[in-house]
């Protein structure tokens, strides 16, 4: 096997590590720092992290030969403790990585320190925190050092072995933070015993408590060259321990913080304890016991002679043997010991001269096989690195279960296999022995393990599993004929499981194939269930309607994803099954179009119904018309027809009188067809309804004629509805009068009295002469005496009123003629200084230009002018110019056209006398007078300063568009010329 395949490998790190300072006696490592002790009293420190080294001579000032007994370094490589032994006794020193001179621990004078427990959780480069030292006389000391103080903070005795005083050879400590303080776990070994201490609080308090209680220990007697205790550290926490004892390697898992309390209150933090006997890997009858031990995650490294045997901690088998390349002068003593660097994950071995590095290369890669051989399948799976390894673990479990005839369990394991065994091979295994249940289990588990991309495999396996389910159900039914009737637990649970399977696989099962399968096995309930899952609602609805289960069918229709068309398709069947529930369902469904439900409602309405039974269709139609404000004529017509068939006409009349379109401006008052409604009501002999429809269609004569057959009072009400047509209203009342007179069966005098009373009800619309033709020819005039006299008196009053109105009109005409005569004499006085409102020149000055006066009324040589009642005066020409300028374009053109015509006519000869117009008869109006009158109306109808013209000018801008250029010319703009200079004056 090539070296790269080995888990552990040995390399020479340094051949002459002591630099001539003597032979190596001891070694300690931590965080890529190696500390060596020599037989000449030197401590040599190599820091491979920074590439630095230095040595300290601890024999200075000590007579005789001195040798370093033990060196200890913390996991961070900063703190170092060393014990030197010579003829003058033993001394222990502390030194720091940054110190050049060690500090002697005077309180430990004469004591040989064999073991040190570092506080891995809390130690820092600047402080050791609590550390424990174990001596060869069975004593434990607590010490702490702060680097800044250059000396130990304290050293105090914690514990002393009195029952069996032996040397402490190994010491380890772990801490855990609890809610009520820090818990310490301490393990210490002597050549024959392993002691454990634990408690919460300070170390001295914890150890003081053992004065009154028994110390826990494990005793394993036997001879051993070196009794060692090691912890394996993973992520700064100890997880395994191993004790190199005389009887074997005692090891186990450490579960700090576990709450497994022993009877006396101590916490038992050791689990999975085991003893590895040396005989398992000894070569001879009398096995040579290891001289040193190191522990990795899964292996023990045992130094036996000049080689290291690597033993798997789980299988307890030797997996490798490591050999060292030693110099000739070091072979005699051999490899002295092993030590481990937990921080760097490395192991070291050393002899008198050299340091060897033992590297680990993925030691967990074959652990799955180890666990598998031990049948620890869960651990094996946890240790697998790829799918192929997991398949082999599953295969071993599956075959073991298959051999044990635990076929369902075997199926679960087979389903997890993807590579080492094909799907077909596994299936045939179960088919060949007729294990259908196991085969089904295998298929179901296989489905769970397939990825979503393997759609084809998923569909085929799901379909096969469906058939196996159906076959199992049939077999249960054949085995127990009463399985359907009796509450068969197995059958019911299988049905439940099958339905759950269909729910899970509804998206991967082929719809048509699955339905054919279910149908061929006669599983109607499951077919309906699957159809519901696949949203094949039509199949489900057909089934429920055939079973007469209207409520279930309606529940299906209420689902949000059901097409509305199914509502209309199944409405006729559902309303016949359960009208109440169907209509209630319709009323809660917002998206329904009532028009499409008319066929179903017609079918229901055609069936006979009890008188006191609630008509569900009428209820629904009323809901549509009143609540939903439906405007569909078909809906209104159907409701009308159902009302018409009812014996009680009140609902029909209320419906006809209801104005459904009243909320819409300009909309119709009703939506039903009045002709259809009339035809229907006539057929059903609903006469009052017919009267209402005639009236609504403005067929008042027909309405009154029909109403007279039913109720004269109704006829009178109909006649009163006509208000805008007096002749029609009179005609209607004559119809009523004729009917009343013809229907009276009493004595003649009584009939006439009732007729006269009827005349009073018409409010004077009918007179006695209007109804006389309806009486027989032989009726005596004496019977009408009172009525005729009353009528003549009314006529006389009307004649007097007409005479009075004629007199009033004559007086009014006389007043108008007098006013006209007075107008001709009206005048106004003008001051001689009166100015024209436009040109500001005096009105009475003699005009210089008489060309424009032609056609105008002028006085002497003065220019024609206008004077208004308000006092304003204007020259005629100025007034025309002002009005044309201020009025709109069309009016201005009209004025100018009249002026032009007047000027042309003015050129003709006229009779002028003394500068004034000659007297002309009123009847002879010449064209000039007509045009002048039109011009006067156009320009002088009212004063331009006081009338409408001035009011309209309020909305005009101050500056007109045609004045824009003149306005801009007045704008002040700056002119900056390059040659222009500005002169600033001092103020």
């Amino acid at each position: 096997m090539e070296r790269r395949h080995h888990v552990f490998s040995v390399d020479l790190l340094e051949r002459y590590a002591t630099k001539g300072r003597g032979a190596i006696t001891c070694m300690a490592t931590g965080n890529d720092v190696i500390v060596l002790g020599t037989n000449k009293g030197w401590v040599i420190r190599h820091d491979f992290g920074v590439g630095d080294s230095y040595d300290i001579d601890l024999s200075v000032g000590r007579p005789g030969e001195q040798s370093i007994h033990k060196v200890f370094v913390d996991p961070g490589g900063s703190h170092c403790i060393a014990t030197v032994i010579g003829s003058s006794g033993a001394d222990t020193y502390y030194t720091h990585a940054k110190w050049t001179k060690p500090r002697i621990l005077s309180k430990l004078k004469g004591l040989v320190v064999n073991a040190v427990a570092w506080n891995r959780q809390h130690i820092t480069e600047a402080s050791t925190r609590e550390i424990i030292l174990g001596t060869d006389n069975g004593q434990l000391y607590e010490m702490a050092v702060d680097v800044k103080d250059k000396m130990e903070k304290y050293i105090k005795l914690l514990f002393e072995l009195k029952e069996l005083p032996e040397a402490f050879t190994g010491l380890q400590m772990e801490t855990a933070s609890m809610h009520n303080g820090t818990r310490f776990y301490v393990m210490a070994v002597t050549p024959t015993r392993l002691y454990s201490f634990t408690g919460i609080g300070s170390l001295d308090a914890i150890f003081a408590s053992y004065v009154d209680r028994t110390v826990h220990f494990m005793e394993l007697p036997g001879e051993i060259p070196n009794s060692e205790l090691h912890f394996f550290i993973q992520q700064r926490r100890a997880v395994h321990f191993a004790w190199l004892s005389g009887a074997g390697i005692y090891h186990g898992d450490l579960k700090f913080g576990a709450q497994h309390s022993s009877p006396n209150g101590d916490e038992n933090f050791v689990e999975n304890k085991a003893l590895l006997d040396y005989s398992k890997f000894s070569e001879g009858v009398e096995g040579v016991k290891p001289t040193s031990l190191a522990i990795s995650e899964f292996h023990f490294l045992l130094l036996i002679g000049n080689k290291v045997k690597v033993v798997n901690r789980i299988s307890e088998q030797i997996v490798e043997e490591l050999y060292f390349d030693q110099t000739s002068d070091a072979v005699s003593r051999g490899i002295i010991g092993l030590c481990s660097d937990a921080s760097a994950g490395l192991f070291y071995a050393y002899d008198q001269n050299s340091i060897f590095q033992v590297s680990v290369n993925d030691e967990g890669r074959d652990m799955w096989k180890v666990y598998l051989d031990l049948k620890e399948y869960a651990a094996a799976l946890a240790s697998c690195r790829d799918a192929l390894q997991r398949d082999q673990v599953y295969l071993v479990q599956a075959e073991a279960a298959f051999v044990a005839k635990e076929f369902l369990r075997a199926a679960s394991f087979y389903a997890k296999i993807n590579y080492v065994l094909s799907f077909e091979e596994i299936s045939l295994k179960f088919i060949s022995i007729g294990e259908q249940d196991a085969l089904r289990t295998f298929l179901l588990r296989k489905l769970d393990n397939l990825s979503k991309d393997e759609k084809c495999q998923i569909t085929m396996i799901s379909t096969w599993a469906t058939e196996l389910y159906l076959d199992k159900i049939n077999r249960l039914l054949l085995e127990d004929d009463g399985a359907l009737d009796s509450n068969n637990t197995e059958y019911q649970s299988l049905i439940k499981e099958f339905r759950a399977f269909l729910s899970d696989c509804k998206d991967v099962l082929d719809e048509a194939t699955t339905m054919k399968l279910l149908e061929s096995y006669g599983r109607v309930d499951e077919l309906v269930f699957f159809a519901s899952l696949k949203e094949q609602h039509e199949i489900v609805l057909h089934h429920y309607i055939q079973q007469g289960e209207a409520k279930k069918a309606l529940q299906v229709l209420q689902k949000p994803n059901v097409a509305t068309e199914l509502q209309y398709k199944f409405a006729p069947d559902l309303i016949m099954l359960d009208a109440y529930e169907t209509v209630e369902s319709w009323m809660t469904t917002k998206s329904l179009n009532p028009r499409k439900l008319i066929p179903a409602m017609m079918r229901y309405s055609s069936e006979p119904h009890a008188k006191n039974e609630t008509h569900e269709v009428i209820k629904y139609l009323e809901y549509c018309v009143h609540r939903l404000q439906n405007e569909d004529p078909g809906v209104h017509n159907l409701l009308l027809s159902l009302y018409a068939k009812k014996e009680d006409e009140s609902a029909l009349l209320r419906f006809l009188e209801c104005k459904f379109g009243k909320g819409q401006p300009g909309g119709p008052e009703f939506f039903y067809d009045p002709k259809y409604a009339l035809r229907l009501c006539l057929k059903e002999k609903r006469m009052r309804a017919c009267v209402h429809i005639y009236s609504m269609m403005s067929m008042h004569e027909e309405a009154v004629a029909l109403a007279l057959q039913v109720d004269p009072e109704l006829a009178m009400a109909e006649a009163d509805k006509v208000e805008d047509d007096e002749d029609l209203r009179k005609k209607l009342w004559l119809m009523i009068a004729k009917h009343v007179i013809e229907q009276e069966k009493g004595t003649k005098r009584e009939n006439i009295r009732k007729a006269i009373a009827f005349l009073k009800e018409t409010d004077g619309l009918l007179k006695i002469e209007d109804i006389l033709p309806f009486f027989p020819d032989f009726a005596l005039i004496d019977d009408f005496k009172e009525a005729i006299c009353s009528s003549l008196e009314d006529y006389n009053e009307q004649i007097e009123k007409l005479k009075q109105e004629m007199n009033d009109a004559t007086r009014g005409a006389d007043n108008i003629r007098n006013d006209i005569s007075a107008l001709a004499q009206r005048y106004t006085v003008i001051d001689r200084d009166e100015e024209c409102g436009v040109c500001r020149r005096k009105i009475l000055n003699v005009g210089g230009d008489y060309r424009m006066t032609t056609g105008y009324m002028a006085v002497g040589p003065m220019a024609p002018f206008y004077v208004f009642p308000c006092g304003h005066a204007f020259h005629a020409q100025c007034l025309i110019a002002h009005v044309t300028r201020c009025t709109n374009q069309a009016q201005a053109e009209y004025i100018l056209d009249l002026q032009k015509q007047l000027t042309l006519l003015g050129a003709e000869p006229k009779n002028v006398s003394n500068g004034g117009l000659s007297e002309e008869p009123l009847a002879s109006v010449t064209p000039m007078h007509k045009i002048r009158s039109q011009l006067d109306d156009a320009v002088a109808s009212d004063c331009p300063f006081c009338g409408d013209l001035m009011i309209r000018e309020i909305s005009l801008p101050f500056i007109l568009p045609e004045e824009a250029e003149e306005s801009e010319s007045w704008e002040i703009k700056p002119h900056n010329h390059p040659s222009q200079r500005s002169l600033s004056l001092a103020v």
Side-chain angles (χ1 to χ4, degrees), residues 876-909:
Q877 190 63 29
C878 294
L879 179 64
I880 292 170
H882 177 71
V883 171
T884 53
R885 186 175 69 252
C886 296
T887 190
N888 57 56
Q889 185 177 355
Q891 182 70 7
E893 290 177 354
Y894 173 69
I895 293 170
L896 292 174
D897 183 59
L898 290 175
Q899 186 181 19
K900 183 178 180 181
Q901 293 180 39
L902 192 62
T903 304
L904 292 173
L905 289 173
E908 299 177 2

Coordinates of all heavy atoms in Angstrom, one line a residue, residues 876-909:
A876 N -73.9 111.6 -33.2 CA -74.4 110.4 -33.8 C -73.2 109.6 -34.3 O -73.1 108.4 -34.2 CB -75.4 110.7 -34.9
Q877 N -72.3 110.3 -35.0 CA -71.1 109.6 -35.6 C -70.2 109.0 -34.5 O -69.7 107.9 -34.6 CB -70.3 110.6 -36.5 CG -69.2 109.9 -37.3 CD -69.8 109.0 -38.3 OE1 -71.0 109.2 -38.8 NE2 -69.1 107.9 -38.7
C878 N -70.0 109.8 -33.4 CA -69.2 109.3 -32.3 C -69.8 108.1 -31.6 O -69.1 107.1 -31.3 CB -69.0 110.4 -31.2 SG -68.0 111.8 -31.8
L879 N -71.2 108.1 -31.5 CA -71.8 107.0 -30.8 C -71.7 105.7 -31.7 O -71.4 104.6 -31.2 CB -73.3 107.3 -30.6 CG -74.2 106.2 -30.0 CD1 -73.7 105.9 -28.6 CD2 -75.6 106.6 -29.9
I880 N -71.9 105.9 -33.0 CA -71.8 104.7 -33.9 C -70.3 104.2 -33.8 O -70.1 102.9 -33.7 CB -72.1 105.1 -35.3 CG1 -73.6 105.4 -35.4 CG2 -71.8 104.0 -36.3 CD1 -74.1 106.1 -36.7
A881 N -69.3 105.0 -33.9 CA -67.9 104.5 -33.8 C -67.7 103.8 -32.5 O -67.0 102.8 -32.4 CB -67.0 105.7 -34.0
H882 N -68.2 104.4 -31.4 CA -67.9 103.8 -30.1 C -68.6 102.4 -30.0 O -68.0 101.4 -29.5 CB -68.4 104.7 -29.0 CG -68.3 104.2 -27.6 ND1 -67.0 104.0 -27.0 CD2 -69.2 103.7 -26.7 CE1 -67.2 103.5 -25.8 NE2 -68.5 103.3 -25.6
V883 N -69.8 102.3 -30.4 CA -70.6 101.0 -30.3 C -69.9 100.0 -31.2 O -69.8 98.8 -30.8 CB -72.0 101.3 -30.6 CG1 -72.8 99.9 -30.7 CG2 -72.7 102.1 -29.6
T884 N -69.6 100.3 -32.4 CA -69.0 99.3 -33.3 C -67.6 98.8 -32.8 O -67.2 97.7 -33.0 CB -68.8 99.9 -34.7 OG1 -68.1 101.1 -34.6 CG2 -70.1 100.1 -35.4
R885 N -66.9 99.8 -32.1 CA -65.6 99.3 -31.5 C -65.8 98.4 -30.3 O -65.0 97.5 -30.1 CB -64.8 100.6 -31.2 CG -63.4 100.3 -30.7 CD -62.6 101.5 -30.4 NE -63.0 102.2 -29.2 CZ -63.7 103.4 -29.3 NH1 -63.9 104.0 -30.5 NH2 -64.1 104.0 -28.2
C886 N -66.8 98.6 -29.6 CA -66.9 97.8 -28.3 C -67.8 96.6 -28.4 O -67.8 95.7 -27.6 CB -67.5 98.7 -27.2 SG -66.5 100.1 -26.8
T887 N -68.6 96.5 -29.5 CA -69.5 95.3 -29.6 C -68.8 94.2 -30.4 O -67.6 94.4 -30.8 CB -70.8 95.7 -30.3 OG1 -71.7 94.7 -30.2 CG2 -70.6 96.1 -31.7
N888 N -69.5 93.1 -30.5 CA -68.8 92.0 -31.3 C -68.8 92.3 -32.7 O -69.5 93.2 -33.2 CB -69.6 90.6 -31.0 CG -71.1 90.7 -31.3 OD1 -71.4 91.0 -32.5 ND2 -71.9 90.5 -30.3
Q889 N -68.1 91.4 -33.5 CA -67.8 91.7 -34.9 C -69.1 91.7 -35.7 O -69.3 92.5 -36.6 CB -66.8 90.7 -35.4 CG -66.4 90.9 -36.8 CD -65.3 90.0 -37.3 OE1 -64.8 89.2 -36.5 NE2 -64.9 90.1 -38.6
A890 N -70.0 90.7 -35.5 CA -71.2 90.6 -36.3 C -72.1 91.8 -36.1 O -72.6 92.3 -37.1 CB -71.9 89.3 -35.8
Q891 N -72.2 92.2 -34.9 CA -73.1 93.4 -34.6 C -72.5 94.7 -35.2 O -73.2 95.5 -35.8 CB -73.2 93.6 -33.1 CG -74.1 94.7 -32.7 CD -75.6 94.5 -33.0 OE1 -76.0 93.4 -33.4 NE2 -76.4 95.5 -32.8
A892 N -71.1 94.8 -35.1 CA -70.4 95.9 -35.7 C -70.7 96.0 -37.2 O -70.9 97.0 -37.8 CB -68.9 95.9 -35.4
E893 N -70.5 94.8 -37.9 CA -70.8 94.8 -39.3 C -72.2 95.2 -39.7 O -72.5 95.9 -40.7 CB -70.4 93.4 -39.9 CG -68.9 93.1 -39.8 CD -68.6 91.7 -40.3 OE1 -69.6 90.9 -40.5 OE2 -67.5 91.3 -40.4
Y894 N -73.2 94.7 -38.8 CA -74.6 95.0 -39.1 C -74.8 96.6 -39.0 O -75.5 97.2 -39.8 CB -75.4 94.3 -38.0 CG -76.9 94.7 -38.0 CD1 -77.7 94.3 -39.1 CD2 -77.4 95.4 -37.0 CE1 -79.1 94.7 -39.1 CE2 -78.8 95.7 -37.0 CZ -79.6 95.4 -38.0 OH -80.9 95.7 -38.0
I895 N -74.2 97.2 -38.0 CA -74.4 98.7 -37.8 C -73.8 99.4 -38.9 O -74.4 100.4 -39.5 CB -73.7 99.1 -36.5 CG1 -74.5 98.5 -35.3 CG2 -73.6 100.6 -36.3 CD1 -73.9 98.7 -33.9
L896 N -72.5 99.0 -39.4 CA -71.9 99.7 -40.5 C -72.7 99.5 -41.8 O -72.7 100.5 -42.6 CB -70.5 99.2 -40.6 CG -69.5 99.5 -39.5 CD1 -68.2 98.8 -39.7 CD2 -69.3 101.0 -39.4
D897 N -73.3 98.4 -41.9 CA -74.1 98.2 -43.1 C -75.3 99.1 -43.2 O -75.6 99.7 -44.2 CB -74.5 96.7 -43.2 CG -75.3 96.4 -44.5 OD1 -74.7 96.6 -45.6 OD2 -76.4 96.0 -44.4
L898 N -76.0 99.2 -42.0 CA -77.1 100.1 -41.9 C -76.7 101.6 -42.2 O -77.4 102.3 -42.9 CB -77.8 100.0 -40.5 CG -78.5 98.7 -40.2 CD1 -79.0 98.7 -38.8 CD2 -79.7 98.6 -41.2
Q899 N -75.5 102.0 -41.6 CA -75.0 103.3 -41.8 C -74.8 103.6 -43.3 O -75.1 104.7 -43.9 CB -73.8 103.5 -41.0 CG -73.3 105.0 -41.0 CD -72.0 105.1 -40.2 OE1 -71.4 104.1 -39.9 NE2 -71.7 106.3 -39.8
K900 N -74.2 102.6 -44.0 CA -73.9 102.7 -45.4 C -75.2 102.9 -46.2 O -75.3 103.8 -47.1 CB -73.1 101.5 -45.9 CG -72.7 101.6 -47.3 CD -71.9 100.3 -47.7 CE -71.4 100.4 -49.1 NZ -70.7 99.1 -49.5
Q901 N -76.2 102.1 -45.9 CA -77.5 102.2 -46.6 C -78.1 103.5 -46.4 O -78.6 104.2 -47.3 CB -78.4 101.1 -46.1 CG -78.0 99.7 -46.5 CD -79.0 98.6 -46.0 OE1 -80.2 98.9 -46.1 NE2 -78.5 97.5 -45.6
L902 N -78.0 104.0 -45.1 CA -78.6 105.3 -44.8 C -77.9 106.4 -45.5 O -78.5 107.4 -46.0 CB -78.5 105.5 -43.3 CG -79.4 106.6 -42.7 CD1 -80.8 106.4 -43.0 CD2 -79.1 106.8 -41.2
T903 N -76.6 106.3 -45.7 CA -75.8 107.3 -46.4 C -76.2 107.4 -47.9 O -76.4 108.4 -48.5 CB -74.3 107.1 -46.2 OG1 -74.0 107.0 -44.9 CG2 -73.5 108.1 -46.9
L904 N -76.4 106.2 -48.5 CA -76.8 106.1 -49.9 C -78.2 106.7 -50.1 O -78.4 107.4 -51.1 CB -76.7 104.7 -50.4 CG -75.3 104.1 -50.4 CD1 -75.4 102.6 -50.8 CD2 -74.5 104.8 -51.5
L905 N -79.1 106.4 -49.2 CA -80.4 106.9 -49.3 C -80.5 108.4 -49.1 O -81.3 109.1 -49.6 CB -81.4 106.2 -48.4 CG -81.7 104.7 -48.7 CD1 -82.5 104.1 -47.6 CD2 -82.5 104.7 -50.0
G906 N -79.5 108.9 -48.2 CA -79.5 110.3 -47.9 C -79.1 111.2 -49.0 O -79.3 112.4 -49.0
A907 N -78.5 110.6 -50.1 CA -78.1 111.4 -51.2 C -79.3 111.8 -52.0 O -79.3 112.7 -52.9 CB -77.2 110.6 -52.1
E908 N -80.5 111.2 -51.9 CA -81.7 111.6 -52.6 C -82.3 112.9 -52.0 O -82.1 113.2 -50.8 CB -82.7 110.4 -52.5 CG -82.2 109.1 -53.1 CD -83.2 108.0 -52.9 OE1 -84.3 108.3 -52.3 OE2 -82.9 106.9 -53.3
P909 N -83.0 113.7 -52.9 CA -83.5 115.0 -52.4 C -84.6 114.8 -51.4 O -85.4 113.8 -51.4 CB -84.1 115.6 -53.7 CG -84.3 114.5 -54.6 CD -83.3 113.5 -54.3

